[in-house]
Amino acid sequence: MSLIGDGLNKAVQKAFTRPAPKSAGAQMRYLVKQVGGTKAVAQMLRVSQRTVERYVKDQIKKPRPDLAARIEREVKARWQPQIRAKAKAKAASTGGIIIDTRARLGYTAPIGSTDQDRIRHLTVALPPVHAARLFDAQEQGASDARLQEIAAEALKEVYFQDGGRRAGSLDEVRFTDIEHLEFDL
């Protein structure tokens, strides 16, 4: 996926009320139930149908690392969809989202002055409007570059312009070279 998309997913996963299945057999049984059959799960995970059946029956207990990562990613993507939807809706309507990042940030103003890009560590509470834009773009399959643009626009408005109280004439905020990025609802 993407750095920002993965960060948004991890933030939503913190809202889960129950832990996702841990063992390979339990994860595989969950996927078979959700997807609707061993053949569909096999195609999704790029393994044979017989391999899926063996995991379901606990004949194989320890998947190879790349397969374990694919299984875990697919389980977490489907785990507690109602809780996930509620967390996104709350962030997009009332709660907002907190972004904690260490990245290269800079801006350009219309008169030609620029603040040279530099590494900054920011922890900023983004209002619900920006959380909604991020989640909507993610659901529509936006690229990481597009999600990064939306995050940069949010940082421009909230951090650099302080909600319209200063630096009202900024043209562009550059948000690049992300070293650390974490979201929290």
Side-chain angles (χ1 to χ4, degrees):
M1 186 170 250
S2 66
L3 183 66
I4 295 177
D6 289 343
L8 290 170
N9 286 337
K10 286 178 185 173
V12 170
Q13 288 170 6
K14 291 177 186 175
F16 287 167
T17 57
R18 293 181 296 135
K22 298 274 188 252
S23 72
Q27 288 176 331
M28 202 62 84
R29 285 187 288 278
Y30 176 77
L31 285 175
V32 168
K33 183 177 176 184
Q34 291 297 309
V35 176
T38 56
K39 187 174 185 176
V41 172
Q43 290 173 346
M44 179 177 62
L45 297 174
R46 298 183 311 269
V47 295
S48 71
Q49 184 175 355
R50 180 68 185 128
T51 301
V52 172
E53 292 167 356
R54 289 160 74 196
Y55 277 110
V56 167
K57 293 179 184 177
D58 282 328
Q59 293 174 342
I60 305 175
K61 297 198 185 273
K62 183 133 176 75
R64 60 187 190 275
D66 62 322
L67 178 59
R70 287 196 307 260
I71 293 170
E72 186 172 348
R73 185 181 63 242
E74 294 297 334
V75 167
K76 284 191 175 180
R78 290 168 175 73
W79 189 249
Q80 294 190 325
Q82 292 173 332
I83 301 291
R84 180 187 313 258
K86 283 181 186 176
K88 286 181 180 180
K90 182 181 176 195
S93 63
T94 58
I97 194 167
I98 297 171
I99 182 172
D100 178 46
T101 186
R102 180 169 165 78
R104 186 169 299 281
L105 287 143
Y107 60 84
T108 307
I111 54 174
S113 67
T114 63
D115 181 20
Q116 195 67 9
D117 295 4
R118 66 175 190 248
I119 298 289
R120 300 176 198 232
H121 184 193
L122 301 177
T123 302
V124 179
L126 301 178
V129 159
H130 298 294
R133 286 186 63 210
L134 282 166
F135 284 127
D136 289 344
Q138 182 189 27
E139 285 178 16
Q140 293 170 3
S143 67
D144 194 41
R146 179 64 187 136
L147 290 172
Q148 199 166 330
E149 287 174 20
I150 294 170
E153 292 167 10
L155 289 171
K156 171 186 170 184
E157 184 179 314
V158 175
Y159 178 73
F160 288 106
Q161 294 181 326
D162 195 17
R165 288 190 279 277
R166 65 174 187 213
S169 60
L170 287 183
D171 283 339
E172 168 195 22
V173 170
R174 291 178 300 280
F175 179 46
T176 58
D177 299 338
I178 301 170
E179 294 176 4
H180 166 76
L181 180 73
E182 189 174 326
F183 292 97
D184 201 8
L185 302 178

